[in-house]
Amino acid sequence: MKLLAQQRDLQAKIPDIEKCLDIVATLQAKKDSNEALVADFEVSEGIYSRAKIEDAESVCLWLGANVMLQYSCEEATALLQTNLENAKASLEVLVADLQFLRDQVTITQVTTARVYNWDVHQRRVRQATTPKES
């Protein structure tokens, strides 16, 4: 269950990181063209505001645990790219671990069934060889 929860978390995290990378790339493109970017952003749950972003030299990234840091666009891109690669690698390892566990569960179930069938066979052999009392 823990591995499945980690898999769900990573599968939700990867699109968020990719979206952040796209946003930083858009900011860099707008900065190079000296064009203002109009963006709608979420202030609070269900409350949005519109902002006009001009000359974005840096971005603030939410790191979690109530920590937000300001990075230059280049540093943010590098950090997000590293995080994306790490998340994808972790997801691959997690998927392999889950497949291994599924295989082990299947092997255990087959082994248990074989032991049970062997026991049933041994009981039948004992009953056949045991003289019946009349």
Side-chain angles (χ1 to χ4, degrees):
M1 297 304 286
K2 179 182 170 187
L3 291 177
L4 288 172
Q6 287 177 351
Q7 183 184 25
R8 276 193 311 274
D9 292 344
L10 282 174
Q11 287 173 335
K13 187 178 184 180
I14 289 173
D16 289 343
I17 295 171
E18 289 172 339
K19 190 187 310 181
C20 288
L21 272 169
D22 289 342
I23 291 169
V24 171
T26 302
L27 283 173
Q28 284 180 317
K30 293 290 184 176
K31 179 178 74 170
D32 294 340
S33 68
N34 293 326
E35 189 179 326
L37 175 68
V38 177
D40 293 328
F41 63 95
E42 189 172 17
V43 176
S44 182
E45 188 174 332
I47 300 173
Y48 292 86
S49 180
R50 181 161 285 160
K52 186 175 182 181
I53 303 168
E54 297 174 353
D55 297 330
E57 297 294 327
S58 62
V59 295
C60 293
L61 295 180
W62 185 261
L63 300 179
N66 293 328
V67 176
M68 182 180 280
L69 290 177
Q70 184 174 353
Y71 291 97
S72 69
C73 290
E74 293 79 17
E75 289 174 328
T77 300
L79 177 69
L80 289 169
Q81 194 64 42
T82 302
N83 288 352
L84 181 62
E85 291 168 3
N86 290 341
K88 285 182 178 181
S90 295
L91 184 60
E92 286 178 18
V93 169
L94 206 55
V95 167
D97 288 348
L98 283 169
Q99 185 59 43
F100 175 76
L101 282 175
R102 286 186 192 106
D103 291 345
Q104 293 304 306
V105 166
T106 301
I107 289 169
T108 303
Q109 289 172 341
V110 168
T111 303
T112 303
R114 286 181 176 173
V115 168
Y116 177 79
N117 290 338
W118 178 82
D119 184 53
V120 168
H121 177 71
Q122 291 300 317
R123 287 182 192 182
R124 287 183 182 162
V125 167
R126 268 189 256 130
Q127 283 179 352
T129 59
T130 304
K132 295 183 180 177
E133 296 179 26
S134 12

